[in-house]
Amino acid sequence: MHKPIIVLGGGPAGGAVVLGLIRLGYAVTVIGEPRPFDAVEGISERVVDGLRGAGFRKALTAIRAPSARNATWNGESNSANTERLISRRMLDEGIWQDLRNAGAECIDGRVTSVEQGDDRLSVTYQTHGGSNTIEGAFIVEARGRAAPSARLKRFRGAETVSLLQYWQGPAAEAQSAAVSFDDGWAWMAMTEEGKRYLQLTFDVATANLPSKAELAQFCTQRLLTIPQAAPFMANADPIGEPHARTSTPILCEEAVGDRWIRVGDAAMAVDPLSGNGIFQAMSSALQAPAVINTLLKSPERMALAKVFHQSRVNALFYRFARIGRDFYQMERQWAERPFWESRHHWPDNIPMHIATTFDEFEVKTMPVVQEGEIIAADVVVTPDQPLGIWHLGGIELAPVVLAVKQRKEGQSLESCLSDLALESTPHTAVLNWLQGMGLR
Ligand code: FAD
C-alpha cells in the first residue's frame, strides 16, 4: 500500500493543501487538534473567494455577512469600509468537515514528534486513545505559528504580542474598529450575540507588560483610555482570562526540503495589522500541491520546485511586511515612541511598487506552475515583478517582449504583434499592457 502524504494541522493552509493534493490523486492523512481558544478575526472578500476557490464549502457557512468597520489612525476616523467577522473555532470546524467530505483521513490528535530519516518519515501523535505513529511519503507542516522551527533559519520583525480579552454584553449590531494609541493599536469586534473581542497589540520589549495574574486588569485599564472602545465595553463585562497571541512577523528562510514543506503561518506569519493573515496563509498553501507533486514525481526538477516555493514565500512575506510598514508610517502622532519607531522602517525602505521602464524588462527562465507541476519557462522579469510574468490574457509574454525589443526602427507595436500572429482579443490586452509601459 502507498504511504500517504501527512499534513500536520488543519487550519486554512493545511486544509487548502489537503484539498489540492486530493485533486491531484494523492492519499492524504491530516492530523489536527482544535485551537485552544476561540478568536474572532476579520477577513475581506478576497479571503472568501480564496476559500471558495480552494474548494471549501462547509467552512464558507461560518463566515458572517459584512459588517461596519471603523478605523481611527493618525487622529482621523474612517467608517467607509466593512469586513466579515469569523469565529475561528467555527471556521476551523467547517474546514475539518470539508476535509472529511473530500476523502482525507482526518485524525483528531496532537502531533508530538516528527522523524525524518533518509528513507523513513514518521509522525507520532496523541489521541484520547493513546499514542500512535504513522509513516508517510511526504510531510506538510501546517501547524501555524505553533510549528516547531527553532532549528531553521528565520527572519523576525520586532517581537509583538496581542492580548485578547473577551467581554459579554447585550445583543448588538455586529461591528469592528481599529484604533492606534501611543504604544500600540487595538482591534475590537462585536458580534450579534453580544460577544466582544478586544485585542490590544504591544511591543514585547518596551510595553512593560504585567504578570499573567494582572493581565485582565491591565487590559481593562488600557481599554478604558481608548474612547473608541466605549461602545464595545458599554453594558458589558470581561469574561474569562485574556489570551496572549504572539504576533511577531516571522519568515522561515528554509520552507521546503526533499520530502517536506512548510505552508501558511508555519512558513511565514505576518503582522495582524494588515488583516491579511488568512489570505497569505492560503496563498502559500495553494501553490504547495504542485510543488509536492514535482518533488515526488520529477526528481530532476526538485531544485526548481524548491526555488519556486521559497521565492514565493519570501515575496509574500516582504510584500505584507512592507504593506504593514507603510500603514505604520501613516500614523505620525507618536513617531518617536518605541512601538512606532521600530516599525516605521522595518523590514527595509524599499517601496511597495518600483516604477519600471520597458528597457528594464528582461526575459529569464524561471519556475512556473503548469498542470499541477513546476516547470521552467521563459518569463518577463521586471524590478517590480522579480518572480516574472508568464502569461497575459493567455498569451506568453516573453516572445512578445523579445520581439518588441528587436523591432525595426519605426515599426509600430501593432505590426510587431501581428508578426507574432497573436489571437485578436488577447492581442488587445498585450497591446494595452505595452502602451501602459509608455511604448508607442
Ligand atoms: P492556523 O490557522 O494557526 O492553523 C494551524 C492548525 O494546526 C490549528 O488548527 C492548530 O490547532 C493546529 N495545531 C497546532 N499545533 C498542533 C499539533 N501539535 N498537533 C495537531 N494540530 C496542531 N488573519 C486574518 O486574516 N484576519 C485577522 O483579523 C487576523 N487577526 C489575527 C490576530 C492575531 C493576534 C494573530 C496572531 C493572527 C491573526 N490573523 C488574522 C492571522 C491568522 O490567524 C493566521 O494567519 C492564519 O490562521 C494562518 O493559517 P494557518 O493554517 O497557517 O495556521
Side-chain angles (χ1 to χ4, degrees):
M1 203 178 83
H2 282 308
K3 289 177 190 164
I5 293 178
I6 306 177
V7 179
L8 316 179
V17 178
V18 172
L19 295 180
L21 286 171
I22 287 175
R23 276 196 295 272
L24 289 174
Y26 286 98
V28 186
T29 298
V30 51
I31 308 169
E33 63 169 2
R35 60 182 56 240
F37 61 97
D38 195 12
V40 155
E41 293 180 351
I43 57 167
S44 61
E45 291 308 310
R46 64 181 181 170
V47 175
V48 183
D49 293 343
L51 289 165
R52 189 176 293 116
F56 292 110
R57 294 291 169 264
K58 188 76 185 153
L60 292 174
T61 62
I63 300 174
R64 295 163 189 259
S67 55
R69 180 183 197 273
N70 182 277
T72 306
W73 208 253
N74 200 31
E76 286 168 26
S77 281
N78 179 341
S79 310
N81 293 328
T82 60
E83 65 185 329
R84 288 175 181 262
L85 299 177
I86 45 165
S87 147
R88 281 306 306 264
R89 187 160 282 161
M90 286 170 68
L91 181 83
D92 292 352
E93 281 171 11
I95 290 174
W96 201 241
Q97 192 60 51
D98 281 327
L99 304 188
R100 276 192 206 286
N101 293 346
E105 185 190 3
C106 296
I107 298 175
D108 295 277
R110 175 173 184 74
V111 175
T112 50
S113 70
V114 178
E115 274 183 44
Q116 305 186 37
D118 284 343
D119 48 7
R120 186 173 184 270
L121 292 178
S122 68
V123 176
T124 303
Y125 60 91
Q126 191 75 35
T127 63
H128 292 306
S131 182
N132 277 302
T133 299
I134 51 167
E135 286 190 36
F138 194 98
I139 289 176
V140 180
E141 175 57 90
R143 282 179 282 173
R145 284 178 179 268
S149 59
R151 273 186 279 159
L152 298 172
K153 206 172 155 219
R154 285 167 305 165
F155 174 56
R156 299 172 77 97
E159 297 299 322
T160 311
V161 66
S162 300
L163 305 177
L164 174 61
Q165 192 175 39
Y166 307 88
W167 288 57
Q168 180 67 51
E173 196 176 331
Q175 57 184 286
S176 58
V179 187
S180 56
F181 52 85
D182 60 348
D183 56 358
W185 56 275
W187 183 79
M188 300 164 288
M190 180 146 77
T191 62
E192 285 93 349
E193 304 83 46
K195 265 195 159 182
R196 292 111 205 264
Y197 298 79
L198 306 185
Q199 178 183 289
L200 296 161
T201 296
F202 295 103
D203 185 79
V204 174
T206 57
N208 282 330
L209 297 172
S211 67
K212 203 174 169 195
E214 293 163 355
L215 266 190
Q217 200 193 0
F218 173 83
C219 287
T220 305
Q221 276 172 357
R222 288 309 303 252
L223 288 163
L224 284 169
T225 67
I226 302 172
Q228 293 82 354
F232 295 86
M233 300 166 83
N235 305 319
D237 292 303
I239 47 169
E241 290 302 311
H243 197 92
R245 300 178 76 184
T246 301
S247 42
T248 308
I250 303 175
L251 167 66
C252 197
E253 291 176 303
E254 206 183 336
V256 57
D258 292 359
R259 287 284 178 269
W260 59 270
I261 195 166
R262 296 173 76 96
V263 294
D265 275 9
M268 52 150 294
V270 293
D271 190 316
L273 174 70
S274 65
N276 277 314
I278 297 179
F279 177 79
Q280 62 79 20
M282 298 277 300
S283 304
S284 66
L286 289 170
Q287 72 195 25
V291 176
I292 299 166
N293 197 24
T294 311
L295 291 173
L296 288 173
K297 287 197 177 142
S298 309
E300 74 284 2
R301 273 182 271 126
M302 216 170 216
L304 194 72
K306 288 183 191 172
V307 167
F308 177 87
H309 186 65
Q310 189 70 54
S311 61
R312 268 148 184 87
V313 165
N314 293 355
L316 265 174
F317 178 80
Y318 279 97
R319 187 170 142 224
F320 286 110
R322 290 176 188 137
I323 289 176
R325 173 203 64 196
D326 291 355
F327 201 57
Y328 280 124
Q329 282 180 4
M330 284 161 59
E331 173 52 77
R332 307 298 312 164
Q333 298 174 94
W334 304 288
E336 315 302 322
R337 301 274 303 172
F339 178 91
W340 299 97
E341 198 190 14
S342 57
R343 287 162 179 79
H344 274 183
H345 300 287
W346 183 89
D348 51 37
N349 287 320
I350 297 175
M352 264 299 291
H353 291 294
I354 301 172
T356 305
T357 62
F358 186 75
D359 293 343
E360 294 169 295
F361 283 26
E362 288 179 273
V363 170
K364 287 188 179 170
T365 306
M366 306 276 273
V368 297
V369 184
Q370 187 180 51
E371 291 169 10
E373 283 211 49
I374 308 300
I375 59 155
D378 283 350
V379 298
V380 176
V381 174
T382 78
D384 200 40
Q385 301 279 350
L387 298 181
I389 317 167
W390 189 19
H391 286 106
L392 181 70
I395 297 289
E396 270 191 60
L397 284 184
V400 172
V401 165
L402 290 177
V404 173
K405 277 186 183 279
Q406 286 158 13
R407 74 182 153 147
K408 291 185 215 87
E409 181 111 25
Q411 187 186 13
S412 71
L413 281 178
E414 286 82 351
S415 103
C416 185
L417 294 186
S418 303
D419 290 351
L420 279 167
L422 305 177
E423 284 163 28
S424 61
T425 316
H427 177 132
T428 313
V430 172
L431 189 64
N432 289 343
W433 176 69
L434 291 169
Q435 287 172 342
M437 288 294 137
L439 291 182
R440 291 290 171 265

